[in-house]
Amino acid sequence: DTEVTQTPKHLVMGMTNKKSLKCEQHMGHRAMYWYKQKAKKPPELMFVYSYEKLSINESVPSRFSPECPNSSLLNLHLHALQPEDSALYLCASSQVGLAAQETQYFGPGTRLLVL
Amino acid sequence: AQSVAQPEDQVNVAEGNPLTVKCTYSVSGNPYLFWYVQYPNRGLQFLLKYITGDNLVKGSYGFEAEFNKSQTSFHLKKPSALVSDSALYFCAVRLNTGFQKLVFGTGTRLLVSP
């Protein structure tokens, strides 16, 4: 089973709202990722958690706040977003260890629209 | 800088014909290369990867890729295209930084006509 689930599938929020995106995997992976993808562009890495600790933050604005409460869950808390933050947000997970094991498996994404 | 390039924005092929989606890489050290496919409004699906060993890598849905070190290429191929193969294809490289960081190419849209 290589399934990563994400909720919600779609989200519309105002610039003053607070919302959260959720990601879950039950593959025993110990690395989880958030990506942002604009239309017709490649995914851009935002955050990486390894063993529930933040290991990479790609200089993402503080209005995006990640959280990894346990090895199966990954959240992305959103606050005071801008319209340019509208995008598809993808979650991925992978094993940690040898590079050969670190295939990232992606969820279906949350399509976010900021008004 | 370590990167991959996909020189074609779009590839058109007729159903039943062979297809090739091109990818070249620029990496210091041994490259770890990946192909993913994305259907409209969906996440990325892993197709195959090259880590080491045989230069011809077989993956999901009948796809394969050939690693060519001298040409620094990792082209995706399929002997007989299906209309359902129409999607956006991304080549990616894992950076040799000790972190699990993938860098993606710009993507190639494959259109298979009936």
Side-chain angles (χ1 to χ4, degrees):
Chain A
D1 184 11
T2 56
E3 187 176 24
V4 176
T5 59
Q6 292 187 243
T7 56
K9 290 185 178 180
H10 302 276
L11 179 62
V12 180
M13 59 185 292
M15 289 188 287
T16 59
N17 292 158
K18 287 184 179 181
K19 296 288 185 182
S20 296
L21 309 184
K22 296 185 184 301
C23 174
E24 189 168 5
Q25 57 88 15
H26 294 288
M27 295 178 279
H29 292 169
R30 301 306 297 274
M32 297 187 76
Y33 311 75
W34 281 116
Y35 288 84
K36 174 182 178 180
Q37 186 181 25
K38 302 286 275 186
K40 299 182 180 180
K41 298 292 186 182
E44 296 177 349
L45 183 65
M46 300 174 72
F47 303 103
V48 180
Y49 274 82
S50 183
Y51 293 100
E52 295 88 70
K53 295 189 185 302
L54 185 64
S55 61
I56 296 179
N57 177 339
E58 292 288 276
S59 302
V60 178
S62 59
R63 57 185 184 268
F64 295 91
S65 175
E67 178 194 20
C68 190
N70 61 56
S71 60
S72 300
L73 294 174
L74 185 66
N75 298 321
L76 186 62
H77 303 297
L78 313 173
H79 174 57
L81 293 193
Q82 303 297 311
E84 58 265 28
D85 297 322
S86 299
L88 181 67
Y89 287 85
L90 295 165
C91 173
S93 70
S94 75
Q95 295 182 8
V96 178
L98 296 175
Q101 299 173 315
E102 292 173 2
T103 299
Q104 293 184 28
Y105 294 94
F106 286 78
T110 293
R111 187 160 298 282
L112 173 66
L113 177 62
V114 182
L115 300 176
Chain B
Q2 301 182 89
S3 63
V4 290
Q6 295 180 243
E8 302 158 315
D9 289 335
Q10 183 164 316
V11 170
N12 298 307
V13 64
E15 188 174 32
N17 284 357
L19 69 87
T20 299
V21 183
K22 296 180 180 178
C23 173
T24 59
Y25 65 89
S26 174
V27 173
S28 57
N30 295 321
Y32 300 138
L33 298 162
F34 300 79
W35 275 104
Y36 286 85
V37 60
Q38 187 174 32
Y39 296 96
N41 299 312
R42 301 290 297 276
L44 275 68
Q45 295 181 25
F46 168 71
L47 284 178
L48 51 81
K49 66 182 178 184
Y50 173 81
I51 302 298
T52 187
D54 195 346
N55 289 342
L56 185 63
V57 180
K58 293 189 181 297
S60 305
Y61 314 119
F63 284 94
E64 58 189 27
E66 185 172 8
F67 173 71
N68 188 317
K69 189 172 183 178
S70 62
Q71 298 185 2
T72 62
S73 66
F74 188 56
H75 300 332
L76 182 70
K77 300 182 179 184
K78 188 175 183 181
S80 179
L82 300 173
V83 172
S84 57
D85 292 330
S86 298
L88 186 58
Y89 290 79
F90 289 102
C91 181
V93 62
R94 180 196 183 276
L95 298 188
N96 297 328
T97 59
F99 295 102
Q100 307 98 311
K101 185 171 180 177
L102 281 180
V103 173
F104 289 86
T106 51
T108 298
R109 185 163 302 281
L110 174 66
L111 182 60
V112 182
S113 55

